[in-house]
mmCIF file of all heavy atoms in Angstrom:
data_model
loop_
_atom_site.group_PDB
_atom_site.id
_atom_site.type_symbol
_atom_site.label_atom_id
_atom_site.label_comp_id
_atom_site.label_asym_id
_atom_site.label_seq_id
_atom_site.Cartn_x
_atom_site.Cartn_y
_atom_site.Cartn_z
ATOM 1 N N GLU A 1 27.064 10.808 -7.664
ATOM 2 C CA GLU A 1 28.534 10.786 -7.577
ATOM 3 C C GLU A 1 28.997 10.048 -6.327
ATOM 4 O O GLU A 1 29.977 9.299 -6.362
ATOM 5 C CB GLU A 1 29.065 12.215 -7.582
ATOM 6 C CG GLU A 1 28.886 12.923 -8.934
ATOM 7 C CD GLU A 1 29.287 14.389 -8.873
ATOM 8 O OE1 GLU A 1 29.670 14.854 -7.771
ATOM 9 O OE2 GLU A 1 29.201 15.059 -9.906
ATOM 10 N N ASP A 2 28.252 10.257 -5.226
ATOM 11 C CA ASP A 2 28.584 9.533 -3.990
ATOM 12 C C ASP A 2 28.471 8.034 -4.205
ATOM 13 O O ASP A 2 29.328 7.252 -3.741
ATOM 14 C CB ASP A 2 27.642 9.955 -2.858
ATOM 15 C CG ASP A 2 27.921 11.354 -2.358
ATOM 16 O OD1 ASP A 2 29.018 11.876 -2.638
ATOM 17 O OD2 ASP A 2 27.036 11.917 -1.681
ATOM 18 N N LEU A 3 27.413 7.609 -4.889
ATOM 19 C CA LEU A 3 27.217 6.186 -5.168
ATOM 20 C C LEU A 3 28.313 5.640 -6.072
ATOM 21 O O LEU A 3 28.804 4.518 -5.874
ATOM 22 C CB LEU A 3 25.839 5.965 -5.826
ATOM 23 C CG LEU A 3 24.612 6.108 -4.918
ATOM 24 C CD1 LEU A 3 23.331 6.101 -5.729
ATOM 25 C CD2 LEU A 3 24.587 4.972 -3.903
ATOM 26 N N GLU A 4 28.706 6.430 -7.047
ATOM 27 C CA GLU A 4 29.701 5.989 -8.016
ATOM 28 C C GLU A 4 31.069 5.767 -7.368
ATOM 29 O O GLU A 4 31.791 4.815 -7.697
ATOM 30 C CB GLU A 4 29.823 7.019 -9.148
ATOM 31 C CG GLU A 4 30.772 6.597 -10.250
ATOM 32 C CD GLU A 4 30.828 7.645 -11.363
ATOM 33 O OE1 GLU A 4 29.993 8.578 -11.328
ATOM 34 O OE2 GLU A 4 31.699 7.528 -12.234
ATOM 35 N N PHE A 5 31.420 6.634 -6.439
ATOM 36 C CA PHE A 5 32.748 6.564 -5.828
ATOM 37 C C PHE A 5 32.749 5.854 -4.475
ATOM 38 O O PHE A 5 33.779 5.792 -3.808
ATOM 39 C CB PHE A 5 33.328 7.980 -5.653
ATOM 40 C CG PHE A 5 33.600 8.675 -6.954
ATOM 41 C CD1 PHE A 5 32.797 9.712 -7.397
ATOM 42 C CD2 PHE A 5 34.671 8.275 -7.753
ATOM 43 C CE1 PHE A 5 33.044 10.351 -8.599
ATOM 44 C CE2 PHE A 5 34.930 8.907 -8.960
ATOM 45 C CZ PHE A 5 34.118 9.941 -9.397
ATOM 46 N N MET A 6 31.607 5.309 -4.064
ATOM 47 C CA MET A 6 31.501 4.682 -2.748
ATOM 48 C C MET A 6 32.313 3.389 -2.657
ATOM 49 O O MET A 6 32.921 3.096 -1.641
ATOM 50 C CB MET A 6 30.028 4.397 -2.413
ATOM 51 C CG MET A 6 29.829 3.843 -1.009
ATOM 52 S SD MET A 6 28.079 3.579 -0.637
ATOM 53 C CE MET A 6 27.495 5.275 -0.572
ATOM 54 N N GLY A 7 32.311 2.611 -3.731
ATOM 55 C CA GLY A 7 33.030 1.339 -3.696
ATOM 56 C C GLY A 7 32.219 0.277 -2.976
ATOM 57 O O GLY A 7 31.073 0.483 -2.596
ATOM 58 N N PRO A 8 32.818 -0.901 -2.760
ATOM 59 C CA PRO A 8 32.106 -2.004 -2.101
ATOM 60 C C PRO A 8 31.716 -1.640 -0.664
ATOM 61 O O PRO A 8 32.477 -0.975 0.049
ATOM 62 C CB PRO A 8 33.125 -3.150 -2.113
ATOM 63 C CG PRO A 8 34.128 -2.770 -3.156
ATOM 64 C CD PRO A 8 34.187 -1.283 -3.152
ATOM 65 N N VAL A 9 30.541 -2.074 -0.257
ATOM 66 C CA VAL A 9 30.076 -1.850 1.115
ATOM 67 C C VAL A 9 29.514 -3.151 1.658
ATOM 68 O O VAL A 9 29.097 -4.035 0.911
ATOM 69 C CB VAL A 9 28.993 -0.743 1.185
ATOM 70 C CG1 VAL A 9 29.571 0.598 0.809
ATOM 71 C CG2 VAL A 9 27.805 -1.091 0.316
ATOM 72 N N ARG A 10 29.467 -3.266 2.973
ATOM 73 C CA ARG A 10 28.939 -4.479 3.589
ATOM 74 C C ARG A 10 27.419 -4.495 3.508
ATOM 75 O O ARG A 10 26.759 -3.456 3.677
ATOM 76 C CB ARG A 10 29.364 -4.558 5.061
ATOM 77 C CG ARG A 10 30.873 -4.686 5.272
ATOM 78 C CD ARG A 10 31.179 -4.951 6.729
ATOM 79 N NE ARG A 10 30.604 -3.914 7.599
ATOM 80 C CZ ARG A 10 30.536 -4.018 8.924
ATOM 81 N NH1 ARG A 10 31.004 -5.100 9.517
ATOM 82 N NH2 ARG A 10 30.031 -3.033 9.643
ATOM 83 N N LEU A 11 26.866 -5.670 3.255
ATOM 84 C CA LEU A 11 25.421 -5.820 3.170
ATOM 85 C C LEU A 11 24.745 -5.389 4.457
ATOM 86 O O LEU A 11 23.693 -4.741 4.438
ATOM 87 C CB LEU A 11 25.056 -7.277 2.858
ATOM 88 C CG LEU A 11 23.549 -7.599 2.793
ATOM 89 C CD1 LEU A 11 22.869 -6.785 1.712
ATOM 90 C CD2 LEU A 11 23.335 -9.093 2.573
ATOM 91 N N VAL A 12 25.360 -5.713 5.582
ATOM 92 C CA VAL A 12 24.766 -5.366 6.872
ATOM 93 C C VAL A 12 24.644 -3.850 7.035
ATOM 94 O O VAL A 12 23.680 -3.342 7.626
ATOM 95 C CB VAL A 12 25.591 -5.970 8.040
ATOM 96 C CG1 VAL A 12 26.979 -5.368 8.109
ATOM 97 C CG2 VAL A 12 24.870 -5.782 9.363
ATOM 98 N N ASP A 13 25.608 -3.089 6.473
ATOM 99 C CA ASP A 13 25.544 -1.626 6.558
ATOM 100 C C ASP A 13 24.439 -1.067 5.663
ATOM 101 O O ASP A 13 23.765 -0.097 6.026
ATOM 102 C CB ASP A 13 26.893 -1.022 6.165
ATOM 103 C CG ASP A 13 27.981 -1.330 7.161
ATOM 104 O OD1 ASP A 13 27.653 -1.512 8.352
ATOM 105 O OD2 ASP A 13 29.161 -1.388 6.757
ATOM 106 N N VAL A 14 24.264 -1.691 4.498
ATOM 107 C CA VAL A 14 23.184 -1.274 3.591
ATOM 108 C C VAL A 14 21.833 -1.511 4.253
ATOM 109 O O VAL A 14 20.947 -0.641 4.246
ATOM 110 C CB VAL A 14 23.260 -2.037 2.252
ATOM 111 C CG1 VAL A 14 22.027 -1.750 1.397
ATOM 112 C CG2 VAL A 14 24.527 -1.645 1.497
ATOM 113 N N GLU A 15 21.664 -2.700 4.831
ATOM 114 C CA GLU A 15 20.390 -3.031 5.476
ATOM 115 C C GLU A 15 20.118 -2.128 6.666
ATOM 116 O O GLU A 15 18.971 -1.713 6.897
ATOM 117 C CB GLU A 15 20.396 -4.489 5.913
ATOM 118 C CG GLU A 15 20.355 -5.475 4.755
ATOM 119 C CD GLU A 15 20.285 -6.913 5.219
ATOM 120 O OE1 GLU A 15 20.474 -7.157 6.434
ATOM 121 O OE2 GLU A 15 20.036 -7.780 4.375
ATOM 122 N N LYS A 16 21.160 -1.804 7.418
ATOM 123 C CA LYS A 16 20.995 -0.907 8.564
ATOM 124 C C LYS A 16 20.525 0.475 8.113
ATOM 125 O O LYS A 16 19.635 1.077 8.734
ATOM 126 C CB LYS A 16 22.313 -0.800 9.329
ATOM 127 C CG LYS A 16 22.217 0.017 10.607
ATOM 128 C CD LYS A 16 23.546 0.044 11.345
ATOM 129 C CE LYS A 16 23.451 0.882 12.610
ATOM 130 N NZ LYS A 16 24.777 0.916 13.329
ATOM 131 N N ALA A 17 21.104 0.974 7.032
ATOM 132 C CA ALA A 17 20.708 2.292 6.500
ATOM 133 C C ALA A 17 19.278 2.255 5.984
ATOM 134 O O ALA A 17 18.496 3.194 6.201
ATOM 135 C CB ALA A 17 21.668 2.706 5.385
ATOM 136 N N GLN A 18 18.918 1.171 5.292
ATOM 137 C CA GLN A 18 17.550 1.039 4.781
ATOM 138 C C GLN A 18 16.549 0.975 5.926
ATOM 139 O O GLN A 18 15.472 1.584 5.859
ATOM 140 C CB GLN A 18 17.437 -0.195 3.894
ATOM 141 C CG GLN A 18 18.188 -0.060 2.575
ATOM 142 C CD GLN A 18 18.043 -1.278 1.686
ATOM 143 O OE1 GLN A 18 17.548 -2.321 2.121
ATOM 144 N NE2 GLN A 18 18.488 -1.162 0.439
ATOM 145 N N GLN A 19 16.883 0.239 6.989
ATOM 146 C CA GLN A 19 15.999 0.145 8.143
ATOM 147 C C GLN A 19 15.827 1.489 8.828
ATOM 148 O O GLN A 19 14.743 1.808 9.321
ATOM 149 C CB GLN A 19 16.532 -0.903 9.127
ATOM 150 C CG GLN A 19 16.375 -2.333 8.637
ATOM 151 C CD GLN A 19 17.088 -3.344 9.509
ATOM 152 O OE1 GLN A 19 17.853 -2.981 10.413
ATOM 153 N NE2 GLN A 19 16.861 -4.618 9.246
ATOM 154 N N ALA A 20 16.896 2.292 8.860
ATOM 155 C CA ALA A 20 16.810 3.621 9.474
ATOM 156 C C ALA A 20 15.827 4.501 8.698
ATOM 157 O O ALA A 20 15.040 5.255 9.290
ATOM 158 C CB ALA A 20 18.192 4.269 9.507
ATOM 159 N N ILE A 21 15.861 4.403 7.368
ATOM 160 C CA ILE A 21 14.948 5.199 6.536
ATOM 161 C C ILE A 21 13.521 4.698 6.680
ATOM 162 O O ILE A 21 12.571 5.488 6.764
ATOM 163 C CB ILE A 21 15.406 5.164 5.061
ATOM 164 C CG1 ILE A 21 16.758 5.871 4.928
ATOM 165 C CG2 ILE A 21 14.372 5.827 4.151
ATOM 166 C CD1 ILE A 21 17.394 5.762 3.559
ATOM 167 N N VAL A 22 13.355 3.372 6.724
ATOM 168 C CA VAL A 22 12.016 2.804 6.915
ATOM 169 C C VAL A 22 11.446 3.246 8.260
ATOM 170 O O VAL A 22 10.248 3.533 8.371
ATOM 171 C CB VAL A 22 12.065 1.263 6.818
ATOM 172 C CG1 VAL A 22 10.747 0.652 7.294
ATOM 173 C CG2 VAL A 22 12.328 0.833 5.386
ATOM 174 N N ALA A 23 12.291 3.325 9.293
ATOM 175 C CA ALA A 23 11.838 3.783 10.612
ATOM 176 C C ALA A 23 11.313 5.216 10.531
ATOM 177 O O ALA A 23 10.302 5.554 11.165
ATOM 178 C CB ALA A 23 12.981 3.691 11.623
ATOM 179 N N ILE A 24 11.992 6.054 9.744
ATOM 180 C CA ILE A 24 11.536 7.438 9.557
ATOM 181 C C ILE A 24 10.187 7.453 8.840
ATOM 182 O O ILE A 24 9.272 8.198 9.216
ATOM 183 C CB ILE A 24 12.575 8.242 8.749
ATOM 184 C CG1 ILE A 24 13.840 8.455 9.584
ATOM 185 C CG2 ILE A 24 12.005 9.588 8.290
ATOM 186 C CD1 ILE A 24 14.997 9.060 8.816
#
């Protein structure tokens, strides 16, 4: 549901979040 209602996001924010998870 969060994904469905999130709307457009910046690519840089997506990559930053992915990098944070990869760091974990």
Side-chain angles (χ1 to χ4, degrees):
E1 291 174 358
D2 288 343
L3 287 170
E4 184 179 351
F5 294 107
M6 185 178 292
V9 294
R10 296 188 304 169
L11 178 60
V12 65
D13 292 332
V14 172
E15 291 183 349
K16 185 178 179 181
Q18 291 181 349
Q19 288 171 351
I21 294 173
V22 168
I24 291 172

